[in-house]
Amino acid sequence: MAKYEQLSNFIISNVGGKENIVSITHCMTRLRIKLNDKSKANINELENNKEIISCQEAEGKLQVIIGTHVGDVYEDIIRIIGDNQQKDDEPQEKGSFINVFAATITKIVVPALGVLLACGIISGLNSVLMATGVITADSGTYILLNAMGNACLTFFPVILGYTSAVAFGMDPFVGMILGAILIFPNIAVDMNAGEALFTVFEGTPFAMPVFKTFFGLPIIFPANGYTSTLIPIMLINLFASKVEKVLKKHLPAVTQQFMTPFITILFAGAIGVLVIGPISMILQNGLQAALTWLIGTSKILAFAVITLIYQPLVIFGLHWPLITLGIMEFATGGCSLIVASIFPASFTHMAACLAVLLRTKSPKMKSISLPAFLSACFCIIEPSIYGVTLPVKKRFAYCMAGGLVGGLILVLTNSPMYAVSMGVTGFMAFVNPAVGNFTGLIWCLVACLAAMAVTFTLTWVTYKPGEDGKNEDDVVYESTKNITHKKEVIASPVSGEVKALFTMKDEAFAKGSLGKGVCIVPDEGKIVAPFDGTIGALYPTGHALCIESENGAQVLIHVGTDTFDVKENIFTTLKKQGDKVKKGETLIKVDLKKMKEIGLNTETAVVVTNSNDYLDVINTNKNRISCNEPLMTTVISDVSLEMAKA
């Protein structure tokens, strides 16, 4: 018997049987079941089951709230009823471009984190053995460890070819082949061999020589190839996924097994090399030209920009122009301030990983942050970026801030590097070999310590319980069989018509920026306490207050829109900030009649401002509500509760 088969059968039976299920999907904590006949669902029976937190109808579907193990229950239900009825008709979550892009990259890279971390540690070990003289560069030990340490990043396009294909819903083996094409042995050398036929954008910073053609079409291939790159294979597979879907829709079923991959590889592979690859090169060349101009215009400003953008560029695989500029410095002067300015970056990731390691209660995040810390010691920051900092974007910003501080210290003290060596093995590169001057080394230590202090402090102080592992795509607590869930009911502080929060005219509330909750159009002029708790803040006008329950729920009650500067005697406060109150006590009296007379909107937002601390916040499905009736229910697991206490 599957782990949740008994519960799954119970749910199926009490929603009217599998024949009554039109479709079923799930989010982080709940099943969303669309039924043929809603009257066949036995909601009371479902809610009385101890393994079900709550059950309600919303958005035209029956929502069965289970907890973090909902994915396992969903899989068991699918096995029982079959997947022929399933339709993924859930609306895709929208967000800003940065949020969507960061989430996509994380989704693609996270599956490769294990081998990325392992190879990073091996590479760091090899560097230490070399630096201490235990092994030499021509030894078999070095050669083998070097292959082990660099295999993952060297063949990253193949690995990400698989994971990005899975993320985009295409054949992962086709994705791997497309990645392999980019790094095929000697392809970069062969594509750039011989005399250039012509140069694209000749005479500009975007000049790119063309040595070969594909049926007469120019092939622009980077001299260093696409080894270790991220963006090209992602974009190629995004394009390939569209091609594959079209082919599956129109090709005869009998030919799809071989014709679909054949056409996809041929078409997407050619477009990838001919179009998508060159676009990434144009981005690199443009960045290099901009940096060269900036350094000539203002040295301090230039290096501030370099130190700030270096880490984001690593995400895009566009950091090579900075390295190229550094090599040019070495060629002309025997040292590089550009490479020195980005040297502290890896130490900021060490600091971020250390702060998270010490603060997190998540076993999975501990298992990621420790090896990511060790990898960052040797300037391998990808494990930290994709596993620790980028998933919680503010941490990545703190690393950028620390890198800016450390980099500018080295620039202002004119402390260049006399060799290209990063991480803990790179400190000696700040010693001037011509005169044996250790001043640069001292400033390097100061810069790295300052960078680490900035990042560690910001990460530590702003850390919030529940930041690690609450995403649906990367659930930290996979073994949730024995996890119990605690609920807190929040009563309605006002009576009236209940509406969805997104319908509010106030965009801050409508977009959910201040937390999850509901909108109530009041029909009675009083605001009461939704639970036993303490008034945390009470605005002078009386139009809004924050109240915290004894169990930690923080609720904001905001009456009307544009009421923050109302001078009329509309709000009468009966309590003050810091007062202890009991559920149902009147806190504010509101003159609704006067509000309407002067044209004020009376919509009242009731939101849980610390929604992120909970697994879910479940709203009532009633259209009208009275004071003290259940309005919302917060759900937290015992694991999350322990994290919240930390």
Side-chain angles (χ1 to χ4, degrees), residues 564-620:
F564 62 93
D565 59 351
V566 172
K567 296 180 173 57
E568 289 81 358
N569 188 25
I570 290 177
F571 303 102
T572 303
T573 57
L574 305 179
K575 300 289 181 180
K576 62 181 183 299
Q577 185 172 328
D579 281 356
K580 300 281 187 181
V581 296
K582 292 292 185 181
K583 176 184 174 182
E585 277 191 78
T586 302
L587 308 178
I588 300 172
K589 289 186 177 180
V590 184
D591 191 335
L592 294 177
K593 182 179 179 181
K594 186 176 288 187
M595 284 186 70
K596 294 174 182 177
E597 287 176 352
I598 62 176
L600 289 176
N601 188 320
T602 63
E603 288 182 337
T604 299
V606 183
V607 299
V608 180
T609 57
N610 60 336
S611 300
N612 289 335
D613 292 345
Y614 297 94
L615 290 175
D616 210 346
V617 177
I618 305 163
N619 299 331
T620 182

Side-chain angles (χ1 to χ4, degrees), residues 212-525:
K212 300 288 186 295
T213 63
F214 180 76
F215 292 108
L217 298 174
I219 300 176
I220 304 170
F221 207 91
N224 295 324
Y226 291 102
T227 297
S228 303
T229 58
L230 170 70
I231 300 301
I233 185 58
M234 282 179 54
L235 295 179
I236 290 171
N237 274 357
L238 178 60
F239 172 75
S241 67
K242 308 298 183 185
V243 174
E244 187 181 80
K245 287 176 183 176
V246 171
L247 294 173
K248 286 184 175 180
K249 185 177 180 180
H250 293 93
L251 287 179
V254 70
T255 66
Q256 285 193 9
Q257 184 176 6
F258 62 92
M259 286 301 295
T260 298
F262 162 65
I263 298 175
T264 303
I265 292 171
L266 185 62
F267 191 46
I271 295 297
V273 171
L274 295 174
V275 180
I276 297 175
I279 288 175
S280 69
M281 288 185 64
I282 290 174
L283 292 174
Q284 291 186 12
N285 291 340
L287 180 60
Q288 187 168 334
L291 290 174
T292 302
W293 171 83
L294 194 57
I295 290 174
T297 303
S298 172
K299 184 177 180 180
I300 299 300
L301 177 60
F303 280 103
V305 171
I306 288 172
T307 53
L308 273 176
I309 68 173
Y310 169 70
Q311 296 178 56
L313 289 179
V314 172
I315 300 174
F316 296 97
L318 298 175
H319 56 297
W320 293 111
L322 297 180
I323 307 300
T324 301
L325 288 175
I327 293 173
M328 290 170 60
E329 274 192 306
F330 276 111
T332 56
C335 61
S336 173
L337 197 57
I338 292 178
V339 178
S341 69
I342 62 178
F343 182 82
S346 63
F347 293 90
T348 67
H349 284 268
M350 287 172 57
C353 290
L354 181 60
V356 173
L357 176 66
L358 295 176
R359 293 222 61 180
T360 186
K361 299 299 182 181
S362 162
K364 184 173 182 180
M365 181 50 65
K366 284 184 180 293
S367 70
I368 291 175
S369 56
L370 177 57
F373 168 82
L374 297 175
S375 294
C377 290
F378 304 101
C379 198
I380 301 168
I381 62 175
E382 286 84 357
S384 169
I385 290 174
Y386 300 123
V388 179
T389 60
L390 190 60
V392 183
K393 290 181 284 298
K394 64 181 179 182
R395 295 177 189 164
F396 190 80
Y398 300 155
C399 290
M400 291 173 61
L404 174 64
V405 171
L408 287 182
I409 288 175
L410 291 172
V411 171
L412 293 173
T413 57
N414 195 31
S415 303
M417 293 185 73
Y418 297 89
V420 178
S421 180
M422 306 300 281
V424 294
T425 61
F427 285 108
M428 296 306 294
F430 284 87
V431 178
N432 189 330
V435 296
N437 190 333
F438 282 80
T439 303
L441 172 60
I442 295 173
W443 279 116
C444 177
L445 291 170
V446 171
C448 291
L449 288 173
M452 293 180 71
V454 169
T455 305
F456 183 91
T457 301
L458 290 172
T459 305
W460 180 279
V461 170
T462 64
Y463 183 90
K464 292 182 180 179
E467 285 180 332
D468 300 315
K470 293 180 71 174
N471 291 331
E472 181 179 335
D473 295 323
D474 188 26
V475 179
V476 171
Y477 300 101
E478 296 177 357
S479 298
T480 55
K481 177 75 174 178
N482 297 319
I483 292 180
T484 58
H485 296 84
K486 302 181 186 300
K487 300 186 289 185
E488 179 178 5
V489 176
I490 298 172
S492 180
V494 60
S495 64
E497 179 188 0
V498 181
K499 299 169 63 178
L501 197 64
F502 69 81
T503 64
M504 289 193 67
K505 295 180 179 179
D506 189 314
E507 288 192 5
F509 290 113
K511 291 180 178 179
S513 304
L514 301 175
K516 297 179 181 179
V518 298
C519 167
I520 300 176
V521 180
D523 56 17
E524 185 179 0

